[in-house]
Amino acid sequence: MPRVLVRPLAWLLPLACGLALVLIGAAEASAQMVPGWNTKQFTLERMDADRIRLTGEVEIEGEKGSPNEGQKFFADGGELNLRTGELTASGNVVFSTPDTRISAESMVFNTHTKLGTFHNASGIASLGARGEKDRSMFGTLEPDVYFYGQVIEKIDVDKYKITKGAFTTCVQPTPRWEIASGSSIVNLHDYALLNNAIIRVKDVPVFYLPIMYYPIQDDDRATGFLMPTYGRSTYRGQSISNAFFWAINRSQDATFFHDWFTSRGQGMGSEYRYLLSPQAQGNFRFYRLAEKANTTNGISNPERTSYSVQANVTQPLAGGLRGRVRVDYFSDITAQQLFNNNLYQQTFSTRSFGGGVTGSWKGLSLSGQYQRTESFFDQSNSNVSGQAPGITATYTGKRLGNTPIYASMNSEMTRLLWEQKSGIAVNDLGLGKVDLFPSIRAPLSRLPFLTVNTSLGYRITYFSESIENRQQVEVPVTRTYADMRAELVGPVFTRVFNPQNGFADRMKHVFEPNLTLQRITNIDNITSIPTIGSYDYVVGDTTRIGYGLTNRLLVRRPTHGGGERGQAQAGPPREMLTVGINQSYYSNPAASKFDQAYGYSVLYRPPSNFSTISLTTRAMPVDPVGVDFRMEYDPIATDRNLVGFGLNGVVRMSAIDATAGWSRQNYQAGNQFTSNNYIQQSTRFHLAGNKVGGLVQFNYDIARSTLLNQRYVANYSAQCCGFAVEFQAYNYPGGFVVPQDRRFNFSFTLAGIGSFSNFFGNFGGATY
């Protein structure tokens, strides 16, 4: 019996020793893994002194606190060279970092250099918080990048080389678009550089580029080409607009434009922007348009070259001063009207440039400026106005001892510009002006229901030229007059209501009368005073009495949960309705023509002792809705008693922003009555989480039964792709070289790329 037992033990002893050596070898292999890496539960088999075979569910993870932290490997099996650090894996290979994940059939990776090659692989990488500001840029999806290829090489920390593959920022099971190439470099958080790139939408090739640079920076400021747009116009023909954006640094950038119009030529321009601080910033734009001769709708258009310059600069200076420069200049009014897609810019007929320096010290304000503005009536007639230069000093708020009297001083010294141009003829009516206006102010009542303010001033104005026999001559003249004023508001009566119908917790009615008395003393030499542009016209020996009444209706809606036991509490007051009515009396009827408080009748109404009756109404029945109405009625007119009115409304909600207005003005031109009568409307909407949006806008001339302008914009952005389309038509019977035009613009939007428009704007009139 003992001998039988000895034989098996003698046989098992070497086997057990062998197994122990294998386990010890495996333990040594695990202990000899590359420093900085941990292994999970899988089988290790030493192949030789340097190599270990890995089988089973292989999982290797970087040690916490080491440079490899966050990196993981998964595979069905592989080999690890302990000396060189080369890890070869195959079968369901996955390599992941905190913001990158790559899946492949096989992999060769160096755990020392952290570089490697993946075969038949695909990957996804996060672009961080790039889309937090406007997720609609990415089709409402996460801002990630997806890439795949026959071979993906990790050649740097966040840099990959893809061979025979593609990439897209449309990360979903079936990407709506992708950019394929034979060879590309993807530098995460920076750029993708592709050779022989083909842009495919829904697997359909739509565009080819021999080389393409695609920015994928985290901060949305990446150098590269912007998405081109296509357009078509009756006047301009077909158009292609391109732009290149240069992100110089965090504080500066530049954009370079190129527009090609098949019927009219091409334009090139640039824009430079900088932002050093909220008080130090600037924007410069320059554009040159080269038009070729053509004939549109039977109208011949000559060959011409024009340019546009725009600038806006604000800069703090030493000593508490601030400088500003503003330029809005174009060389040809025709190009300005015909090429701009924005209605305001189309009809804008003023060019200007100027700058100034301002400062303020303990009640003293000083301003020096130069300003030149030219307003066009048509292509050959215009007026020039402005200051060249002008200096203004103001001192306010000085209290005289213990009295309730405050003294102030306004002064101005300037060279006024005023030129009347007709063709090549120029009538220069500019002159020099020095103005002093010391005054004192005394509040006579501080009661909560009654406000009384009085003021007394004396104005001295020197003009370097004067009027003789209705002609302006180079003979100086000085104008002097006293201006006495008293303003009274009140007594104010109020009443508070507490309705029981649940409409509001509290309602308050305010009854507020007002009275203004003004006396301007006689101006002996009134007929010699030049009135440049009529803005400085004062009628002497005039007493003006202004009177009016304002009714306000305030409401407080209840807010729940703010009081004890959850009872409703009154919210902040809201002005639901305000109605004001005003009129003025003038002892001198001539003064009624120059009272700027009555805008519809100023300059156009015959002299009268009474002004028109002005009615002003503001209403906000609910928070998103606002309505304004202004009307002037002439009670003494024999015809056209309604001088003018304006009705405007606005609705601002989360999905819709709409404005509409109706304006009309009747005035007498010579012996004939004429009128302006317009309706305008603009509605923007964005629905389904900003996936669907658009704009509907039109301007209608009721007096001439003409639809002046109509614009329709629609955009769709979802699942990484989108498009924007715009149709615009205008019809201006006078003042335009080409009175009618129809325009069409179209643009694709890809996730993360956005869209762009030409220098003259489109898709609602805006650039970018």
Side-chain angles (χ1 to χ4, degrees):
M1 289 294 291
R3 294 178 63 184
V4 174
L5 293 174
V6 169
R7 285 184 178 179
L9 290 174
W11 177 77
L12 289 172
L13 183 60
L15 179 61
C17 292
L19 289 173
L21 291 175
V22 170
L23 293 174
I24 292 172
E28 290 177 352
S30 177
Q32 294 173 5
M33 291 289 287
V34 179
W37 298 89
N38 292 327
T39 60
K40 302 297 182 179
Q41 297 297 325
F42 56 88
T43 303
L44 303 173
E45 178 184 355
R46 181 177 291 280
M47 302 175 62
D48 52 36
D50 295 331
R51 295 184 300 161
I52 296 176
R53 178 179 288 115
L54 315 174
T55 58
E57 296 181 357
V58 179
E59 181 179 350
I60 302 176
E61 181 178 3
E63 286 185 349
K64 187 175 182 179
S66 73
N68 308 315
E69 182 180 359
Q71 299 189 54
K72 295 182 180 181
F73 295 96
F74 303 89
D76 292 340
E79 295 182 5
L80 174 64
N81 190 312
L82 299 178
R83 180 176 57 82
T84 64
E86 184 178 274
L87 175 63
T88 302
S90 61
N92 298 315
V93 175
V94 176
F95 166 67
S96 67
T97 67
D99 57 3
T100 307
R101 180 183 177 91
I102 298 178
S103 302
E105 292 184 359
S106 61
M107 171 192 74
V108 177
F109 191 88
N110 192 299
T111 56
H112 293 171
T113 64
K114 304 180 187 65
L115 306 179
T117 303
F118 305 84
H119 297 274
N120 294 325
S122 62
I124 186 172
S126 173
L127 298 181
R130 188 181 181 206
E132 287 184 355
K133 293 181 180 179
D134 188 359
R135 183 63 54 84
S136 64
M137 288 177 58
F138 299 87
T140 70
L141 300 179
E142 295 296 329
D144 297 331
V145 58
Y146 170 76
F147 51 91
Y148 66 88
Q150 289 187 5
V151 178
I152 297 179
E153 301 175 65
K154 188 175 187 291
I155 58 179
D156 208 339
V157 177
D158 285 325
K159 197 172 185 178
Y160 298 85
K161 180 180 179 181
I162 304 174
T163 303
K164 294 184 179 180
F167 92 101
T168 179
T169 54
C170 183
V171 182
Q172 58 178 6
T174 305
R176 295 296 188 267
W177 68 270
E178 65 182 15
I179 304 176
S181 68
S183 175
S184 61
I185 300 294
V186 177
N187 193 346
L188 298 179
H189 314 292
D190 198 353
Y191 66 88
L193 184 64
L194 304 93
N195 296 318
N196 296 319
I198 299 176
I199 301 177
R200 295 194 296 230
V201 178
K202 295 275 190 174
D203 293 329
V204 178
V206 296
F207 206 73
Y208 167 80
L209 288 172
I211 187 170
M212 181 178 180
Y213 179 93
Y214 181 91
I216 52 175
Q217 290 182 346
D218 295 340
D219 58 4
D220 285 339
R221 290 177 53 79
T223 299
F225 286 95
L226 302 177
M227 284 292 295
T229 63
Y230 168 80
R232 183 175 179 84
S233 164
T234 303
Y235 174 74
R236 295 174 295 185
Q238 301 183 74
S239 63
I240 296 291
S241 300
N242 299 278
F244 180 82
F245 179 77
W246 178 22
I248 302 173
N249 54 41
R250 289 295 301 168
S251 301
Q252 304 177 78
D253 60 51
T255 307
F256 303 92
F257 307 90
H258 177 261
D259 302 316
W260 177 53
F261 308 101
T262 58
S263 298
R264 293 303 296 152
Q266 57 183 325
M268 300 181 66
S270 62
E271 178 181 29
Y272 170 73
R273 304 183 300 175
Y274 72 88
L275 177 61
L276 304 180
S277 70
Q279 293 78 31
Q281 55 184 304
N283 187 353
F284 304 87
R285 302 185 78 188
F286 175 81
Y287 189 80
R288 180 181 181 272
L289 179 64
E291 298 180 72
K292 60 185 180 181
N294 82 332
T295 301
T296 303
N297 295 333
I299 301 176
S300 297
N301 301 293
E303 178 181 351
R304 61 173 169 249
T305 300
S306 60
Y307 63 90
S308 173
V309 180
Q310 297 173 355
N312 195 349
V313 180
T314 302
Q315 181 66 41
L317 305 173
L321 296 173
R322 176 188 293 251
R324 181 168 185 176
V325 175
R326 185 177 182 87
V327 179
D328 192 351
Y329 187 85
F330 49 84
S331 63
D332 194 296
I333 181 65
T334 303
Q336 173 78 4
Q337 293 181 340
L338 293 179
F339 280 83
N340 272 288
N341 289 288
N342 183 282
L343 175 63
Y344 174 76
Q345 293 295 334
Q346 285 177 10
T347 57
F348 189 66
S349 57
T350 299
R351 61 186 184 187
S352 63
F353 59 88
V357 178
T358 60
S360 179
W361 307 270
K362 295 183 179 180
L364 175 63
S365 299
L366 185 65
S367 174
Q369 64 178 348
Y370 176 93
Q371 181 69 32
R372 187 182 190 277
T373 301
E374 184 171 7
S375 300
F376 289 85
F377 304 109
D378 51 39
Q379 282 70 31
S380 58
N381 294 279
S382 63
N383 282 344
V384 176
S385 62
Q387 297 174 301
I391 300 176
T392 302
T394 302
Y395 186 74
T396 59
K398 179 63 176 179
R399 186 172 182 177
L400 302 181
N402 295 325
T403 67
I405 301 176
Y406 297 83
S408 64
M409 167 70 82
N410 295 330
S411 60
E412 179 185 18
M413 182 172 62
T414 184
R415 170 67 185 179
L416 294 176
L417 296 178
W418 186 256
E419 298 177 3
Q420 298 172 335
K421 293 184 175 182
S422 180
I424 61 174
V426 178
N427 183 22
D428 188 354
L429 299 177
L431 51 81
K433 174 184 174 182
V434 179
D435 184 74
L436 297 175
F437 186 58
S439 63
I440 57 174
R441 176 178 57 87
L444 301 183
S445 173
R446 297 183 182 273
L447 298 174
F449 60 88
L450 181 65
T451 301
V452 181
N453 288 310
T454 60
S455 64
L456 171 63
Y458 190 78
R459 170 156 274 150
I460 305 173
T461 308
Y462 166 84
F463 299 93
S464 64
E465 299 185 11
S466 60
I467 302 297
E468 291 184 5
N469 299 321
R470 299 185 178 180
Q471 297 293 324
Q472 186 167 314
V473 296
E474 296 182 0
V475 177
V477 64
T478 300
R479 179 188 63 188
T480 60
Y481 65 89
D483 186 347
M484 297 168 283
R485 186 186 300 254
E487 297 177 348
L488 182 147
V489 178
V492 178
F493 300 95
T494 62
R495 182 176 179 181
V496 178
F497 301 89
N498 291 290
Q500 303 299 322
N501 58 7
F503 176 71
D505 185 60
R506 298 184 67 187
M507 182 180 297
K508 183 178 182 180
H509 176 220
V510 180
F511 181 87
E512 186 179 277
N514 63 82
L515 178 67
T516 300
L517 302 175
Q518 182 185 21
R519 173 63 184 177
I520 296 178
T521 59
N522 185 47
I523 303 175
D524 295 331
N525 53 353
I526 185 66
T527 58
S528 301
I529 305 302
T531 56
I532 297 180
S534 299
Y535 78 94
D536 192 24
Y537 197 88
V538 179
V539 179
D541 193 19
T542 300
T543 299
R544 174 182 172 268
I545 303 176
Y547 41 89
L549 177 65
T550 302
N551 284 271
R552 308 180 196 276
L553 190 61
L554 309 176
V555 296
R556 285 180 181 264
R557 288 190 176 276
T559 57
H560 298 279
E564 297 180 359
R565 303 178 182 178
Q567 63 185 0
Q569 298 293 307
R574 178 171 57 84
E575 192 172 291
M576 187 177 74
L577 179 64
T578 299
V579 180
I581 184 169
N582 293 274
Q583 190 182 27
S584 294
Y585 166 82
Y586 314 92
S587 62
N588 188 337
S592 65
K593 289 176 59 65
F594 304 97
D595 192 341
Q596 300 294 330
Y598 303 90
Y600 289 109
S601 58
V602 66
L603 297 179
Y604 296 111
R605 185 168 176 257
S608 172
N609 289 108
F610 291 90
S611 72
T612 57
I613 298 175
S614 173
L615 175 68
T616 304
T617 303
R618 294 193 308 272
M620 186 179 289
V622 292
D623 289 337
V625 179
V627 179
D628 292 298
F629 178 72
R630 179 182 175 88
M631 180 186 72
E632 288 186 23
Y633 179 83
D634 191 349
I636 63 174
T638 57
D639 191 10
R640 309 290 180 101
N641 298 85
L642 182 61
V643 178
F645 68 85
L647 175 63
N648 296 280
V650 59
V651 177
R652 287 192 171 94
M653 304 174 66
S654 59
I656 296 178
D657 189 339
T659 61
W662 178 18
S663 63
R664 177 169 181 170
Q665 181 179 12
N666 297 320
Y667 57 92
Q668 185 173 352
N671 296 323
Q672 295 183 347
F673 277 99
T674 185
S675 64
N676 293 323
N677 198 353
Y678 298 101
I679 292 178
Q680 57 275 343
Q681 181 278 147
S682 178
T683 301
R684 293 182 182 272
F685 61 90
H686 33 90
L687 310 172
N690 285 339
K691 293 182 180 179
V692 179
L695 168 71
V696 178
Q697 185 181 62
F698 69 82
N699 296 76
Y700 185 76
D701 186 344
I702 300 177
R704 299 170 181 82
S705 301
T706 303
L707 185 62
L708 300 177
N709 182 285
Q710 54 182 320
R711 166 177 283 156
Y712 308 94
V713 180
N715 62 273
Y716 174 79
S717 177
Q719 298 181 332
C720 309
C721 287
F723 67 89
V725 60
E726 175 190 40
F727 174 77
Q728 179 191 20
Y730 74 74
N731 179 19
Y732 299 114
F736 271 55
V737 175
V738 179
Q740 296 180 341
D741 195 9
R742 292 187 301 273
R743 300 166 177 177
F744 172 80
N745 295 300
F746 181 81
S747 175
F748 279 111
T749 302
L750 302 182
I753 301 178
S755 61
F756 158 78
S757 68
N758 61 43
F759 182 87
F760 296 103
N762 56 14
F763 300 113
T767 305
Y768 308 120

